[in-house]
Amino acid sequence: MSENNCIFCKIIAGEIPATFVHQDERCVAFDDINPQAPVHVLVIPREHLESLDEASQRDEALLGHMLRVAARIANERGLSESGYRTVINTGAGAGQSVFHLHAHVIGGRALAWPPG
Ligand code: AMP
């Protein structure tokens, strides 16, 4: 999907509503519209990258920042003790349905392993 048709780019641009829980110059985070657990937040870069597979060496700091933001959100939601999962689906075969890189932060219930 091109950047122009990207639903997450539209959320960043304010063209589609979302419940933001974090915003900074490099990434934003908002509640997933179809939560799979009591806490289900998506952390996405402002820059359109289709997937983790598209990330290059120049994106290393951005990826690290996204993970730190994910951990901060989990902590703020009280998940540090109970635990949480940070998931990046890459490619349709792995369940990626929105082709703008995003990290799911999921918690607030027991999480089975392995994922389906
Ligand atoms: P994935 O399947 O890993 O690509 O995850 C995409 C996620 O985006 C799913 O969990 C969807 O529920 C979520 N999603 C799709 N559209 C929206 C939206 N408009 N606002 C918030 N979350 C969304």
Side-chain angles (χ1 to χ4, degrees), residues 33-113:
I33 203 169
N34 183 24
Q36 301 301 309
V39 176
H40 189 169
V41 171
L42 302 174
V43 182
I44 75 172
R46 286 188 182 275
E47 181 188 350
H48 181 89
L49 288 172
E50 285 216 348
S51 73
L52 187 60
D53 216 46
E54 199 184 74
S56 67
Q57 194 173 9
R58 83 177 177 90
D59 301 311
E60 283 180 0
L62 172 65
L63 295 171
H65 179 66
M66 286 173 59
L67 289 179
R68 287 198 62 241
V69 167
R72 203 182 317 152
I73 291 166
N75 180 264
E76 285 167 6
R77 294 288 183 98
L79 298 178
S80 292
E81 204 168 311
S82 58
Y84 58 93
R85 190 166 292 163
T86 308
V87 176
I88 300 177
N89 295 324
T90 304
Q96 186 175 6
S97 60
V98 176
F99 287 83
H100 179 128
L101 175 65
H102 51 282
H104 298 256
V105 182
I106 299 167
R109 65 167 172 81
L111 298 170
W113 189 264

